[in-house]
Amino acid sequence: MASSHSSSPVPQGSSSDVFFKKEVDPTKHIRPVQSLPDVCPKEPTGDSSSLCVTPSLVTDQNRWTIYHSKVNLPAALNDPRLAKRESDFFTKTWGLDFVDTEVIPSFYLPQISKEHFTVYQQEISQREKIHERCKNICPPKDTFDRTLLHTHDKSRTDLEQIPKIFMKPDFALDDSLTFNSVLPWSHFNTAGGKGNRDAASSKLLQEKLSHYLDIVEVNIAQQISLRSEAFFHAMTSQHELQDYLKKTSQAVKMLRDKIAQIDKVMCEGSLHILRLALTRNNCVKVYNKLKLMATVHQTQPTVQVLLSTSEFVGALDLIATTQEVLQQELQGIHSFRHLGSQLCELEKLIDKMMIAEFSTYSHSDLNRPLEDDCQVLEEERLVSLVFGLLKQRKLNFLEIYGEEMIITAKNIIKQCVINKVSQIEEIDTDVVMKLADQMRMLNFPQWFDLLQDIFSKFKIFLQRVKVSLHISLSRISLQFLSFFVYVLHHAVFLNIIFWAGDVAQAVARSPVFPKSHCIIFRVSEDMKLTDLELGKLANNIQELLNSASDICHDRAVKFLMSRAKDGFLEKLNSTEFITLSRLMETFILETEQICGRKSMSLLGALQSQANKFVNRFHEERKTKLSLLLDNERWKQADVPAEFQDLVDSISDGKIALPEKKSGEERKPAEVLIVEGQQYAVVGTVLLLIRIILEYCQCVDNIPSVTTDMLTRLSDLLKYFNSRSCQLVLGAGALQVVGLKTITTKNLALSSRCLQLIVHYIPVIRAHFEARLPPKQYNMLRHFDHITKDYHDHIAEISAKLVAIMDSLFDKLLSKYEVKAPVPSACFRNICKQMAKMHEAIFDLLPEEQTQMLFLRINASYKLHLKKQLSHLNVINDGGPQNGLVTADVAFYTGNLQALKGLKDLDLNMAEIWEQKR
């Protein structure tokens, strides 16, 4: 326990000295004593923790020093206030509450066994053998005093006299068992007349405890005495170091005396000359500095003079140069301490002045009277403003111009409307107060003239904007580098600024260009824009020009929508709408040529109105066709001359409505001649052809509605096909127009009308195909479907005509009897009906179609006759019945071939006879 209050053992002797041999018990091992290194108490080196320092409020107060030893050793050992002795380092340092705990092995460290040291032992074994052999040959000097060993053994023997209970780490007198073992109550019991003996026993116990204390104190003193040599060694080293320092101080003093003598003889004169030269240079610098200060002092008045002449670039350059001088050459000058902030404020003021000046200029330039010329207003002023704003990196100044463009575009429309309305006497401005309402009172010619005026003003406005955006640097490019003309034309003119710093000095020295006209001479290095800024500015300029076009188009769209509120545009006829559409398309094309980009708003509005026009156009014509069909009696109509001219123009390759020919009136024809073929038609089909040409002509006049017109025309043709089928084949005309019956003539006329439309479908398809983009060619399939539908309809009409005669043959031949007279009444009726059929369709259908139709009718006739002969058991046996039938058939054949156009018709009747049984 006493050793816990002592300092750490101080080693002494050489590192090779040891207290015990190898065979000594490790439990009795004493650390070797080594000599301390030389230290200097005045200039300590190494770890500061190894030195004894005085108590400090800054350092750690928990660290133990010699100043903590305030009680003598016996008093510390006999202190009754301690619960237990401070037996080890932990309780001494961390207090009495420290409890030893078992340290759990780390999971991150491997378990070390003897096998880990096998390799090392193999490597070191040979060296150990050599070391042992050297020790036997040259045994080390035994500097250990055997008396110390004897003393140590004696001390250890004395310590063994102390009971083990005092050596326990958990020794505590508050434990009853421990207390009874140390102080048994038998020594203090005075009952039974044994007081003298008990008192002697207590005194003996006290002396025994005092003896134990003396043993401990003696051992502590011995441990201290073993380390006395190290303390004396340290003091000796300190005295030697002080002697060395004294000699060194004397040598330094002698050296300084010699250096002072050399400096006085060899250096002071030369240094004096150098000082004079330096003083002269300093005076020159001071003079120049004063001149510079005088120049800087005149900065503000000079800036005011430059601003009075709108020389913003020069004023900004002067401020920038002065700021640079203040920060570099005049830094720290007290009299100019406020000049820098004043110049900054002045620079901000110039920025505001330039922005306000640019806003004023933009307003003046854009709102001056719109004339045909596009000259720039005050070109030098614009150039100066642009350079100043670019120098200050105010790249958003174009936004001001953009806002002014919007206001100007509104004013252009407003002024145009006011001027137009004031010229119309029918409009009472006192009654109709709103300008929009006054504009809606204009008829189409008046409103169209107003729109033309607005578009012409907008074109001048866009040209003026374009020139204003390009004029400043385009002038510079024309003066210096003609190469930039091309660049300026493509709105990348601000790249010249990048070159300005490189060419400024060379051009400034040239006598060719007057300095009064060369604003670029004042462009300094800080005006060079980065590639990112150049690209951004070039894009902004082009976007501003595009924005001007978009603004004009947007305002035009609003003007159109304002007029279209009452359905005015939808009520326009085809000619008026085509005129309006061409005007808008021309304006869109011209603005695209000016600005380099097509704006889509007006084009979209035009497309929207075109779609509405197409819908109305189609609905009107579909309604008209429906009314015509509802009133059509399906009789052959005369063909006016104008319709024949229309058909002739189509044959000549001109798909358009022909102009009316002036002169004497021409009589209408019975049929329509189309490429040498005659077409007997009804009046509805003639008007349908005219309607189809109107669709085609509308596509030529408004190309943007080609696809819509194709869809609508397909719908119209399908409607005519289905409606005509309902009226004729479906007998709907009986109820609609009050026909008594659907005759064969009605059917033949309907078929011929359908054939006329089918004839023109390829012509219509070619017309649309030439005007459709290639990616929309798939829409042409509508014409293929329509052609198929029409052919199917024509085939159904032919089948209907054959069916009529088939029912007639079935009715007549079912009553046929083979008997005299010849020809029989049945065959007379059949020939009569065939003649009526021929008379009804011959003038309507072409000869080849008539022949094909009668071949089909004849086939039906033979089928029914064969069936009836089979029923009557009449065979080709040359008998009387065979003769009667042959005579009737010959009568039928003769009558049929006698009809016009059927002379060469093959009427072979051989297959009507059954084979001879």
Side-chain angles (χ1 to χ4, degrees), residues 128-341:
E128 184 181 8
K129 292 178 181 179
I130 297 173
H131 178 67
E132 292 296 334
R133 189 166 53 252
C134 292
K135 286 174 61 177
N136 294 331
I137 297 173
C138 299
K141 182 180 180 182
D142 188 7
T143 58
F144 181 72
D145 191 355
R146 296 298 179 182
T147 59
L148 293 176
L149 181 61
H150 175 73
T151 304
H152 178 72
D153 294 339
K154 182 177 181 301
S155 300
R156 190 170 187 83
T157 304
D158 293 339
L159 289 174
E160 290 178 352
Q161 297 178 8
I162 302 174
K164 300 299 182 182
I165 191 173
F166 291 103
M167 302 299 180
K168 291 183 177 180
D170 57 348
F171 177 81
L173 290 176
D174 55 358
D175 186 7
S176 58
L177 296 177
T178 303
F179 185 83
N180 292 331
S181 300
V182 175
L183 299 172
W185 288 102
S186 59
H187 293 278
F188 302 100
N189 188 1
T190 57
K194 298 180 181 181
N196 293 332
R197 190 179 63 183
D198 294 338
S201 177
S202 299
K203 186 175 182 181
L204 180 62
L205 178 62
Q206 182 177 2
E207 290 179 355
K208 186 185 294 185
L209 294 175
S210 299
H211 177 66
Y212 295 159
L213 178 62
D214 293 339
I215 292 173
V216 172
E217 289 179 349
V218 168
N219 277 274
I220 291 173
Q222 287 177 356
Q223 293 294 329
I224 294 174
S225 66
L226 291 175
R227 289 154 178 79
S228 61
E229 184 178 351
F231 292 110
F232 287 111
H233 185 352
M235 294 301 298
T236 303
S237 300
Q238 184 177 7
H239 291 317
E240 291 178 358
L241 185 60
Q242 289 178 352
D243 292 339
Y244 290 149
L245 290 175
K246 185 175 181 181
K247 294 178 181 180
T248 304
S249 177
Q250 292 175 355
V252 170
K253 182 178 179 181
M254 293 176 61
L255 181 60
R256 287 180 175 177
D257 293 340
K258 291 181 180 180
I259 291 174
Q261 292 178 0
I262 294 172
D263 179 65
K264 185 175 181 181
V265 173
M266 302 183 65
C267 299
E268 286 186 357
S270 301
L271 289 176
H272 182 65
I273 295 174
L274 294 176
R275 288 192 188 97
L276 292 177
L278 183 61
T279 302
R280 181 180 180 279
N281 293 334
N282 290 338
C283 292
V284 173
K285 291 180 180 179
V286 170
Y287 174 73
N288 294 331
K289 191 76 69 175
L290 291 174
K291 288 177 62 178
L292 183 60
M293 292 173 63
T295 303
V296 170
H297 185 66
Q298 297 297 321
T299 297
Q300 289 178 314
T302 306
V303 169
Q304 297 294 338
V305 173
L306 292 173
L307 292 179
S308 64
T309 58
S310 298
E311 289 290 342
F312 298 107
V313 178
L316 292 171
D317 281 339
L318 181 58
I319 292 175
T321 304
T322 304
Q323 290 281 27
E324 185 178 355
V325 170
L326 288 175
Q327 293 176 3
Q328 296 179 1
E329 300 183 23
L330 298 182
Q331 187 177 10
I333 302 299
H334 187 71
S335 59
F336 289 150
R337 65 187 183 277
H338 301 303
L339 183 58
S341 58

Side-chain angles (χ1 to χ4, degrees), residues 85-96:
R85 302 302 180 189
E86 297 180 355
S87 59
D88 52 20
F89 169 77
F90 300 104
T91 55
K92 178 184 71 174
T93 304
W94 295 343
L96 299 176

Side-chain angles (χ1 to χ4, degrees), residues 588-872:
I588 293 171
L589 181 61
E590 290 176 346
T591 54
E592 181 181 1
Q593 293 174 351
I594 294 173
C595 302
R597 192 191 71 172
K598 179 183 291 187
S599 297
M600 303 305 296
S601 57
L602 186 58
L603 186 62
L606 176 60
Q607 187 65 40
S608 176
Q609 291 299 325
N611 292 336
K612 294 180 181 179
F613 169 76
V614 168
N615 291 333
R616 182 180 59 81
F617 180 89
H618 176 64
E619 291 300 328
E620 288 179 354
R621 279 144 186 81
K622 188 174 182 179
T623 303
K624 182 179 180 180
L625 180 61
S626 177
L627 292 175
L628 291 172
L629 288 172
D630 290 342
N631 293 283
E632 180 60 59
R633 303 188 65 84
W634 297 100
K635 292 183 179 181
Q636 183 177 356
D638 293 334
V639 179
E642 59 179 284
F643 285 97
Q644 185 61 54
D645 295 338
L646 185 147
V647 171
D648 294 340
S649 66
I650 297 176
S651 300
D652 296 336
K654 183 180 179 181
I655 303 179
L657 296 175
E659 298 179 359
K660 292 184 179 181
K661 296 181 180 180
S662 60
E664 60 182 15
E665 295 184 358
R666 290 177 293 172
K667 294 181 180 181
E670 294 183 358
V671 293
L672 187 67
I673 307 301
V674 179
E675 296 181 0
Q677 291 189 12
Q678 296 181 357
Y679 284 88
V681 293
V682 296
T684 302
V685 174
L686 293 176
L687 294 176
L688 176 60
I689 294 175
R690 184 180 181 87
I691 292 173
I692 292 173
L693 292 183
E694 289 177 355
Y695 276 83
C696 295
Q697 188 173 8
C698 188
V699 168
D700 290 335
N701 295 326
I702 312 176
S704 60
V705 299
T706 302
T707 56
D708 291 336
M709 279 296 182
L710 189 151
T711 305
R712 301 302 193 281
L713 181 56
S714 301
D715 178 66
L716 187 72
L717 294 175
K718 291 178 181 178
Y719 176 77
F720 174 77
N721 184 43
S722 61
R723 185 63 176 155
S724 62
C725 182
Q726 292 173 1
L727 293 172
V728 181
L729 277 177
L734 300 179
Q735 291 79 21
V736 175
V737 295
L739 294 180
K740 295 181 179 181
T741 182
I742 302 298
T743 64
T744 55
K745 193 168 186 177
N746 297 140
L747 292 171
L749 191 59
S750 174
S751 175
R752 195 56 175 161
C753 292
L754 293 173
Q755 292 174 25
L756 179 62
I757 302 300
V758 170
H759 173 78
Y760 282 113
I761 287 179
V763 180
I764 301 170
R765 176 193 174 103
H767 181 80
F768 277 90
E769 184 176 4
R771 287 151 183 80
L772 279 175
K775 62 181 180 181
Q776 293 180 343
Y777 281 167
N778 59 341
M779 296 187 66
L780 297 173
R781 69 182 184 276
H782 293 296
F783 293 111
D784 299 332
H785 297 160
I786 293 172
T787 303
K788 182 179 180 302
D789 293 341
Y790 272 67
H791 282 302
D792 293 342
H793 189 183
I794 294 170
E796 289 177 4
I797 293 176
S798 299
K800 182 65 174 178
L801 292 172
V802 174
I804 292 173
M805 297 305 297
D806 184 76
S807 62
L808 179 65
F809 293 148
D810 182 60
K811 179 179 179 182
L812 295 176
L813 291 175
S814 63
K815 300 177 182 180
Y816 174 62
E817 295 179 358
V818 183
K819 63 182 180 177
V822 177
S824 64
C826 176
F827 274 83
R828 288 178 183 275
N829 288 334
I830 290 175
C831 290
K832 183 179 178 181
Q833 295 299 326
M834 293 287 283
K836 287 183 178 180
M837 170 69 74
H838 180 270
E839 182 182 0
I841 68 174
F842 181 76
D843 293 334
L844 301 179
L845 298 178
E847 183 176 341
E848 61 274 9
Q849 292 186 20
T850 304
Q851 291 180 357
M852 292 299 297
L853 180 62
F854 273 88
L855 282 175
R856 293 177 62 186
I857 293 174
N858 185 61
S860 176
Y861 157 76
K862 289 188 291 183
L863 181 64
H864 284 281
L865 181 59
K866 181 178 179 180
K867 179 180 178 182
Q868 183 64 20
L869 292 177
S870 177
H871 176 70
L872 297 175

Side-chain angles (χ1 to χ4, degrees), residues 210-489:
S210 299
H211 177 66
Y212 295 159
L213 178 62
D214 293 339
I215 292 173
V216 172
E217 289 179 349
V218 168
N219 277 274
I220 291 173
Q222 287 177 356
Q223 293 294 329
I224 294 174
S225 66
L226 291 175
R227 289 154 178 79
S228 61
E229 184 178 351
F231 292 110
F232 287 111
H233 185 352
M235 294 301 298
T236 303
S237 300
Q238 184 177 7
H239 291 317
E240 291 178 358
L241 185 60
Q242 289 178 352
D243 292 339
Y244 290 149
L245 290 175
K246 185 175 181 181
K247 294 178 181 180
T248 304
S249 177
Q250 292 175 355
V252 170
K253 182 178 179 181
M254 293 176 61
L255 181 60
R256 287 180 175 177
D257 293 340
K258 291 181 180 180
I259 291 174
Q261 292 178 0
I262 294 172
D263 179 65
K264 185 175 181 181
V265 173
M266 302 183 65
C267 299
E268 286 186 357
S270 301
L271 289 176
H272 182 65
I273 295 174
L274 294 176
R275 288 192 188 97
L276 292 177
L278 183 61
T279 302
R280 181 180 180 279
N281 293 334
N282 290 338
C283 292
V284 173
K285 291 180 180 179
V286 170
Y287 174 73
N288 294 331
K289 191 76 69 175
L290 291 174
K291 288 177 62 178
L292 183 60
M293 292 173 63
T295 303
V296 170
H297 185 66
Q298 297 297 321
T299 297
Q300 289 178 314
T302 306
V303 169
Q304 297 294 338
V305 173
L306 292 173
L307 292 179
S308 64
T309 58
S310 298
E311 289 290 342
F312 298 107
V313 178
L316 292 171
D317 281 339
L318 181 58
I319 292 175
T321 304
T322 304
Q323 290 281 27
E324 185 178 355
V325 170
L326 288 175
Q327 293 176 3
Q328 296 179 1
E329 300 183 23
L330 298 182
Q331 187 177 10
I333 302 299
H334 187 71
S335 59
F336 289 150
R337 65 187 183 277
H338 301 303
L339 183 58
S341 58
Q342 292 173 357
L343 292 178
C344 290
E345 294 298 325
L346 186 58
E347 188 175 3
K348 294 179 181 178
L349 178 61
I350 293 174
D351 292 346
K352 294 180 181 179
M353 290 176 61
M354 287 191 299
I355 293 175
E357 186 76 9
F358 186 79
S359 178
T360 304
Y361 173 83
S362 301
H363 180 77
S364 302
D365 180 52
L366 295 176
N367 288 276
R368 57 196 172 100
L370 292 170
E371 300 174 354
D372 294 337
D373 63 324
C374 298
Q375 299 296 327
V376 178
L377 180 66
E378 299 180 18
E379 182 177 339
E380 294 294 340
R381 179 184 175 191
L382 175 60
V383 173
S384 177
L385 286 171
V386 170
F387 273 122
L389 292 169
L390 291 178
K391 177 177 175 59
Q392 293 301 102
R393 296 296 195 275
K394 301 295 182 181
L395 304 182
N396 58 345
F397 69 93
L398 296 175
E399 297 177 0
I400 301 173
Y401 201 84
E403 295 173 357
E404 195 62 41
M405 287 191 307
I406 298 175
I407 298 174
T408 303
K410 292 181 180 178
N411 293 334
I412 288 174
I413 294 182
K414 184 177 180 181
Q415 190 62 40
C416 289
V417 174
I418 293 174
N419 294 338
K420 188 64 179 179
V421 170
S422 63
Q423 298 173 3
I424 307 301
E425 297 179 356
E426 292 80 4
I427 300 177
D428 190 355
T429 57
D430 296 333
V431 177
V432 183
M433 303 299 295
K434 292 184 178 181
L435 189 62
D437 295 337
Q438 297 173 4
M439 182 266 296
R440 293 190 187 97
M441 297 179 66
L442 299 175
N443 56 29
F444 178 77
Q446 295 170 344
W447 180 82
F448 185 77
D449 292 339
L450 174 60
L451 184 62
Q452 279 184 318
D453 186 36
I454 291 174
F455 283 167
S456 62
K457 293 293 192 297
F458 274 159
K459 286 186 288 185
I460 299 174
F461 167 72
L462 290 177
Q463 291 173 351
R464 182 173 295 174
V465 170
K466 180 178 181 180
V467 174
S468 298
L469 289 176
H470 294 75
I471 190 59
S472 57
L473 292 180
S474 64
R475 177 184 177 186
I476 296 173
S477 67
L478 291 173
Q479 288 178 345
F480 301 111
L481 299 173
S482 60
F483 166 76
F484 289 119
V485 175
Y486 174 79
V487 179
L488 288 172
H489 181 68

